[in-house]
């Protein structure tokens, strides 16, 4: 019974052997003898029972109880009994692929392969040494190379994006299989020609997700003209957000007027790129401001400065009037001067008053010091029908 347990423990993976003895010293040595009656010739395949000689093979196995294990196997050489076979003598063959060159049990090899794939050569060998499995770093790497190659599915949906070999200096292109979510290729640069060349070698690709790069668009049009190009989700959201922000910025005045309570809109947090663009704009404005002043000190007229720098004369005048360049900021809300009277105007509007001139007179009595135009614009934005004072031809044009 005890012998059966030991046989299962040490030889369960090696059918065709009888356990003779187990010697436990500094290492565990398991001595076993081959008991299969015949063996097939590796050249012609003929089974032979005619033993030529006997010898011992040594196999490293997985450690047991923190002690290394060696399998000492008594095996045979056979004589091939096929007269025409060129192989006269051959080493005994076993069903589980224990070929004569193998020096390690299959399960020990599997562990080394796992370690190799995860840790690589040096780290793998160091860990295995602690596990009483002494192998060199080269052996660990060789074990990984015995693994069968991974069969890759043919990608049809891919994503293309750039990545940095060295940030800010050297960029390449990573191609990801979007179905398996695994990178499948790294290209040396992010040019259209390199991407096109790769795509031409992969004609089965149907859908390509990319960023807003014009180079990639060109490369895809050249290399895979039939593939459908889609913008990746991140850039779709970025485009939407930027469009929405532009629109909200344009309509800011109207939005503020609609909000009767006049609570200022919270400012949105800016991204790094937006902050960088803003800082760049401020620098350019400062440079123009400095040049206007420098030219003015040299005796140039405002008209001459305007022509030389391609800026409006109004801007030259404003720059010369100001002592320092004002920082970039949100433009003063144009409803500012009208703001204290908005709730009154809204109240009169809801009563049916549509005469801007009348409203102007009323708010002037309350202290409004702005122009007639401000009140007229406010009314214009709310009109759903032409004013009574609008001349007939303009009404007809508006239809
Ligand atoms: Zn043979």
């Amino acid at each position: 019974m005890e012998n059966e347990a030991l046989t299962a423990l040490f030889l369960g993976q090696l059918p065709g052997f009888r356990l003779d003895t187990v010697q436990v010293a500094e290492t565990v040595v398991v001595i076993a003898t081959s008991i299969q009656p015949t063996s097939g010739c590796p050249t012609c395949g003929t089974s032979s029972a005619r033993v030529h000689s006997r010898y011992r093979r040594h196999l490293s196995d997985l450690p047991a109880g923190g002690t290394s294990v060696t399998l000492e196997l008594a095996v045979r050489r056979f004589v091939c009994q096929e007269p025409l076979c060129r192989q006269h003598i051959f080493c005994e063959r076993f069903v589980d692929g224990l070929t004569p060159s193998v020096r390690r049990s299959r399960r020990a090899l599997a562990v080394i392969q796992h370690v190799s794939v995860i840790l690589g050569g040096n780290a793998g060998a160091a860990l295995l040494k602690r596990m009483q499995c002494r192998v060199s770093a080269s052996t660990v790497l060789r074990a990984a190379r015995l693994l069968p190659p991974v069969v890759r599915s043919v990608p049809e949906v891919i994503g293309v994006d750039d990545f940095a070999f060295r940030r800010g200096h050297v960029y390449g292109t990573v191609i990801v299989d979007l179905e398996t979510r695994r990178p499948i290729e790294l290209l040396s640069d992010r040019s259209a020609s390199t991407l096109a060349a790769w795509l031409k070698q992969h004609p089965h690709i149907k859908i390509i997700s990319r960023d807003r790069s014009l180079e990639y668009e060109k490369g895809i049009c050249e290399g895979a003209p039939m593939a459908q190009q889609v913008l990746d989700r991140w850039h779709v959201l970025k485009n939407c957000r930027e469009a929405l922000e532009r629109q909200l910025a344009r309509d800011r005045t109207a939005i503020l007027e609609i909000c009767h309570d006049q609570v200022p809109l919270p400012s949105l947090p800016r991204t790094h790129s937006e902050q960088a663009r803003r800082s760049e704009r401020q620098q350019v404005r400062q440079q123009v401001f400095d040049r206007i002043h420098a030219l003015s000190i040299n005796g140039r007229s405002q008209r001459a400065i305007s022509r030389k720098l391609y800026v409006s004369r109004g801007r030259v005048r404003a720059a010369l009037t100001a002592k320092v360049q004002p920082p970039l900021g949100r433009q003063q809300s144009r409803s500012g001067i009208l703001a204290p009277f908005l709730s009154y105007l809204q109240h009169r509007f809801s009563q049916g008053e549509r005469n801007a001139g009348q409203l102007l007179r009323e708010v002037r009595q309350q202290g409004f010091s702005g122009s007639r135009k401000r009140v007229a614009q406010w009314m214009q934005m709310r009109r759903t029908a032409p004013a009574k004072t609008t001349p007939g031809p303009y009404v007809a044009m508006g239809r």
Side-chain angles (χ1 to χ4, degrees):
M1 184 62 199
E2 194 181 75
N3 206 24
E4 276 176 27
L6 285 174
T7 305
L9 181 65
F10 291 115
L11 300 177
Q13 34 147 7
L14 287 175
F17 283 91
R18 179 196 66 222
L19 181 71
D20 296 330
T21 178
V22 178
Q23 298 172 352
V24 181
E26 277 183 25
T27 63
V28 177
V29 181
V30 180
I31 300 171
T33 304
S34 168
I35 50 169
Q36 54 182 8
T38 60
S39 177
C41 166
T43 304
C44 66
T46 311
S47 257
S48 172
R50 195 174 144 201
V51 174
H52 171 271
S53 55
R54 296 171 194 277
Y55 67 104
R56 286 181 180 269
R57 288 181 61 180
H58 294 88
L59 253 65
S60 313
D61 197 7
L62 287 179
T67 309
S68 61
V69 174
T70 303
L71 304 178
E72 191 179 303
L73 306 175
V75 295
R76 299 158 288 182
R77 293 188 189 88
F78 284 86
V79 175
C80 182
Q81 291 178 300
E82 169 58 48
L84 294 176
C85 181
R86 59 184 167 82
Q87 181 105 39
H88 299 301
I89 301 163
F90 63 88
C91 295
E92 187 170 3
R93 294 301 199 267
F94 299 93
V95 283
D96 74 334
L98 185 65
T99 53
S101 62
V102 168
R103 295 281 173 270
R104 197 163 274 112
S105 72
R106 187 184 276 187
R107 62 188 180 187
L109 178 65
V111 168
I112 294 171
Q113 285 173 328
H114 280 306
V115 171
S116 177
V117 169
I118 295 166
L119 291 180
N122 286 324
L127 175 68
L128 289 163
K129 188 178 167 189
R130 296 295 294 270
M131 291 164 59
Q132 299 299 319
C133 187
R134 290 175 182 276
V135 282
S136 69
S138 313
T139 306
V140 174
L141 289 180
R142 269 199 309 277
R145 297 183 70 175
L146 295 173
L147 284 167
V150 177
V151 180
R152 285 189 191 157
S153 60
V154 179
E156 292 187 342
V157 183
I158 60 163
V160 174
D161 205 353
D162 57 356
F163 73 96
F165 284 112
R166 190 170 159 227
R167 200 166 184 179
H169 295 273
V170 191
Y171 285 88
T173 299
V174 59
I175 297 175
V176 179
D177 183 338
L178 292 182
E179 288 171 302
T180 61
R181 293 167 179 251
R182 282 176 179 277
I184 51 173
E185 192 71 77
L186 298 178
L187 304 179
S188 59
D189 59 31
R190 47 180 176 180
S191 68
S193 54
T194 307
L195 179 61
W198 187 88
L199 287 170
K200 279 175 188 167
Q201 292 170 2
H202 299 79
H204 38 258
I205 285 166
K206 292 178 181 160
I207 300 173
I208 303 171
S209 162
R210 62 168 172 85
D211 60 12
R212 300 187 289 188
S213 156
L214 295 176
E215 272 291 295
Y216 286 154
E217 184 188 10
K218 193 174 147 204
I220 295 167
C221 289
E222 200 180 307
M226 301 306 285
Q228 187 185 357
Q229 298 185 37
V230 294
L231 200 58
D232 63 51
R233 185 164 37 180
W234 191 84
H235 283 97
V236 169
L237 290 174
K238 185 172 159 65
N239 278 2
C240 286
R241 202 200 76 190
E242 287 177 2
L244 183 63
E245 277 185 358
R246 279 197 299 275
Q247 192 58 45
L248 287 175
R250 264 183 230 134
D251 296 341
R252 190 174 180 85
T253 311
I255 293 167
L256 282 172
E257 285 184 6
I258 290 163
C259 301
H260 300 304
D261 51 358
Q262 290 299 296
V263 176
L265 291 181
S267 57
L268 298 166
R270 299 288 153 190
T271 63
H272 288 305
S273 64
E274 284 166 345
Q275 284 171 6
R277 280 203 297 275
R278 188 185 169 85
S279 156
E280 200 177 313
R281 277 207 308 276
Q282 178 66 24
Q283 277 178 14
V284 170
R285 275 161 54 95
Q286 186 64 49
Q287 282 166 6
V288 173
F289 182 87
D290 293 344
R291 288 199 68 192
I292 290 172
H293 276 264
L295 289 168
S296 174
I297 289 166
N298 287 344
R300 296 286 191 97
S301 68
Q302 291 187 8
R303 180 192 292 262
I305 296 171
S306 161
R307 284 197 184 146
K308 184 164 177 59
L309 299 183
Y310 301 103
V311 295
S312 71
R313 283 166 68 187
R315 187 169 169 189
V316 174
R317 198 162 43 244
L320 291 175
T321 312
K323 290 209 165 51
V324 290
Q325 167 73 24
L328 266 180
R330 194 173 296 137
Q331 291 206 333
Q332 195 96 42
S333 167
R334 273 188 259 156
S335 67
I337 198 165
L338 201 56
F341 311 97
L342 285 173
S343 54
Y344 177 76
L345 290 172
Q346 192 65 36
H347 170 66
R348 294 285 287 125
F349 185 83
S350 61
Q351 286 178 341
E353 181 57 74
R354 297 291 183 270
N355 186 334
Q358 175 60 32
L359 287 177
L360 176 68
R361 283 189 289 279
E362 289 175 18
V363 291
R364 280 222 168 121
Q365 280 176 2
Q366 294 176 29
F368 175 65
S369 59
S371 66
R372 177 193 163 84
K373 196 177 167 190
R374 284 296 300 122
V375 179
Q377 277 177 342
W378 182 89
M379 178 59 84
Q380 178 65 36
M381 287 168 65
R382 284 157 185 77
R383 273 191 214 288
T384 50
K388 281 180 191 165
T389 50
T390 304
Y394 288 102
V395 177
M397 277 167 67
R399 275 181 196 146

